[in-house]
Amino acid sequence: MANEIQLMPAEELARLHSNLVSLIDESLAPATRKAYSDDWERWLDFAEAVGTVPIPAMPEAVALFVAHLEDAGLKVPTIERAMAAIAKAHEVKQLDNPRLHPLVKLALKGIRRRIGVRPAQVDALTPAQIRRMARALPDTPGKELRSLRDHVLM
């Protein structure tokens, strides 16, 4: 009695692949998918303009893209999001992430120092606001410890 391996029918394999693509697509919020798509299109245009393949991306080309984005006046968070889009495309295809290359890291570090990333200063909560927040916390039956913790934190 030899064990025979049954190959999955091609249509079943295609259906599973389609489902996998859908799952990967849905792993990101719609706004993130849109932003990554726009960033990816910008990367494709740049890669074509400099004559390099977009994927797998050469770290030198990605570092040049970082300089290009900074030159175009984009802010640090937007540039980092573009790097995340390129990284995600490589991750999905199980390729090395060019964002982790030292040259790309140095380019991003230089941009952060040049442009700067200033955290937004916000006003502290007033005692009245804290009391109002504490009163709004629910007393959840069966979760007394969690409720107590939340009240203490307030």
Side-chain angles (χ1 to χ4, degrees):
M1 286 212 252
N3 288 336
E4 290 188 30
I5 297 175
Q6 296 272 342
L7 292 178
M8 186 178 290
E11 55 276 353
E12 176 68 9
L13 187 58
R15 186 189 66 72
L16 287 175
H17 183 266
S18 177
N19 188 33
L20 174 61
V21 169
S22 176
L23 289 171
I24 291 169
D25 191 40
E26 291 176 23
S27 71
L28 298 172
T32 303
R33 278 197 310 270
K34 170 74 170 107
Y36 279 13
S37 176
D38 293 346
D39 292 333
W40 184 251
E41 287 300 318
R42 185 178 292 165
W43 164 244
L44 291 177
D45 291 343
F46 179 82
E48 183 178 353
V50 298
T52 189
V53 296
I55 194 164
M58 294 182 56
E60 296 81 3
V62 175
L64 281 174
F65 185 53
V66 168
H68 168 73
L69 296 176
E70 190 266 341
D71 194 51
L74 298 181
K75 303 293 183 212
V76 172
T78 307
I79 295 169
E80 288 179 338
R81 188 193 67 212
M83 294 301 99
I86 293 170
K88 180 58 79 174
H90 283 72
E91 177 187 328
V92 168
K93 295 197 174 278
Q94 299 178 10
L95 298 169
D96 288 340
N97 179 356
R99 164 66 181 86
L100 300 178
H101 190 277
L103 185 60
V104 177
K105 285 182 174 183
L106 286 172
L108 287 168
K109 185 176 182 180
I111 284 177
R112 280 188 216 100
R113 290 183 62 82
R114 179 183 289 174
I115 298 175
V117 181
R118 191 174 322 151
Q121 183 68 39
V122 296
D123 294 331
L125 292 172
T126 66
Q129 289 171 319
I130 294 171
R131 281 191 294 277
R132 201 167 41 248
M133 289 169 63
R135 281 192 304 271
L137 287 172
D139 287 322
T140 310
K143 308 235 183 197
E144 288 81 12
L145 287 177
R146 183 178 292 169
S147 184
L148 178 62
R149 178 207 59 198
D150 293 345
H151 280 85
V152 168
L153 287 173
M154 281 289 143

